[in-house]
Amino acid sequence: MKKLAVLGLAIILGTCSCFGWGFKKDSAKDFDNEGKGYVGTLPDISKNYKTSDPKSTKPLFEESKDFNSADEIKPVPRDNPAFVNIILKDNKTSPYLNDINEILPQLENLLLCIENRDSVQLFNAKAFFFTKTAEYLRNKYEGQPESSYVSFQKLMELSTYTNSVATLRAEAEKYRPYMAYAGAGYLYNDNVIDQQLEYLRTEIEDTIVVLKEAH
């Protein structure tokens, strides 16, 4: 029994020594003595793994060809009344009414000037501004349908009379100190001028009403 145990131990030790000697022998071949490191052949592990090519992804939205091209842009629906009236919101006010709206403040300022009995110079300045605007409108709408409107004719008549009163007041300031109230001097009498201003005030008020009704 003791001999069998000794024999088995000898076999085991012999096997281990052979394995260790084979390892050392192979290791000596695989390493370079000059210090370059391991120079043996590594096992090929690429055959055990399969690489996968990246898949191309499809965009969520289709590409728009020639996005900035005029052929790709839908035309504006100008024939659609809903688009024209709501989106574009065309100006429904005619040029004539726009001109009336601009001249109304001039008449109101001139009226206020008469009521406040402002100086001749201030009155004539406002009167000149109004009559020049009226002259512009006369030339603008001459021969046009607007020239037959009651508001237009009323405005032209008022312009002519305003110019007459402004001229009268300017002449009175210039000539009255040198003329008697009799004869031609009578036109420059304060009472006469006041009557003319009062008549002009009434005409301005009537014209303002007519112009506002033209809307």
Side-chain angles (χ1 to χ4, degrees), residues 126-210:
K126 293 183 178 182
F128 176 81
F129 185 45
F130 162 64
T131 54
K132 285 299 179 182
T133 305
E135 181 180 354
Y136 164 76
L137 296 181
R138 180 185 292 109
N139 296 331
K140 180 178 181 180
Y141 295 106
E142 184 178 6
Q144 302 297 325
E146 289 83 358
S147 62
S148 62
Y149 293 173
V150 175
S151 58
F152 183 84
Q153 295 176 359
K154 186 73 174 176
L155 192 61
M156 295 302 105
E157 293 174 359
L158 178 63
S159 174
T160 301
Y161 188 68
T162 301
N163 184 61
S164 299
V165 175
T167 302
L168 176 64
R169 297 194 69 181
E171 291 178 351
E173 286 289 307
K174 183 177 181 180
Y175 300 120
R176 186 165 50 186
Y178 310 103
M179 300 181 66
Y181 287 142
Y186 175 76
L187 293 176
Y188 304 132
N189 188 297
D190 288 337
N191 293 331
V192 173
I193 293 177
D194 289 342
Q195 291 176 359
Q196 296 300 319
L197 286 174
E198 180 62 21
Y199 180 75
L200 178 61
R201 183 186 67 81
T202 303
E203 288 298 310
I204 293 175
E205 290 176 343
D206 293 343
T207 303
I208 290 176
V209 173
V210 173

Side-chain angles (χ1 to χ4, degrees), residues 35-193:
K36 295 181 179 180
Y38 183 75
V39 295
T41 302
L42 295 175
D44 185 9
I45 62 174
S46 61
K47 60 183 179 180
N48 297 328
Y49 299 93
K50 184 178 181 181
T51 59
S52 59
D53 297 333
K55 297 181 179 179
S56 59
T57 58
K58 185 178 181 181
L60 297 178
F61 304 98
E62 294 182 0
E63 181 181 0
S64 177
K65 181 179 66 175
D66 298 330
F67 177 77
N68 294 323
S69 175
D71 296 334
E72 297 294 325
I73 302 176
K74 294 183 179 180
V76 175
R78 295 186 180 275
D79 295 334
N80 187 342
F83 178 83
V84 174
N85 295 333
I86 298 176
I87 305 301
L88 293 183
K89 294 181 179 179
D90 283 347
N91 185 9
K92 296 181 176 60
T93 305
S94 67
Y96 175 74
L97 292 182
N98 288 334
D99 291 334
I100 294 301
N101 290 332
E102 291 181 2
I103 205 171
L104 273 172
Q106 299 181 30
L107 296 180
E108 293 171 348
N109 289 332
L110 187 59
L111 178 63
L112 187 63
C113 182
I114 296 175
E115 293 176 346
N116 293 339
R117 303 183 67 85
D118 291 334
S119 65
V120 176
Q121 291 76 13
L122 182 58
F123 170 83
N124 283 3
K126 293 183 178 182
F128 176 81
F129 185 45
F130 162 64
T131 54
K132 285 299 179 182
T133 305
E135 181 180 354
Y136 164 76
L137 296 181
R138 180 185 292 109
N139 296 331
K140 180 178 181 180
Y141 295 106
E142 184 178 6
Q144 302 297 325
E146 289 83 358
S147 62
S148 62
Y149 293 173
V150 175
S151 58
F152 183 84
Q153 295 176 359
K154 186 73 174 176
L155 192 61
M156 295 302 105
E157 293 174 359
L158 178 63
S159 174
T160 301
Y161 188 68
T162 301
N163 184 61
S164 299
V165 175
T167 302
L168 176 64
R169 297 194 69 181
E171 291 178 351
E173 286 289 307
K174 183 177 181 180
Y175 300 120
R176 186 165 50 186
Y178 310 103
M179 300 181 66
Y181 287 142
Y186 175 76
L187 293 176
Y188 304 132
N189 188 297
D190 288 337
N191 293 331
V192 173
I193 293 177

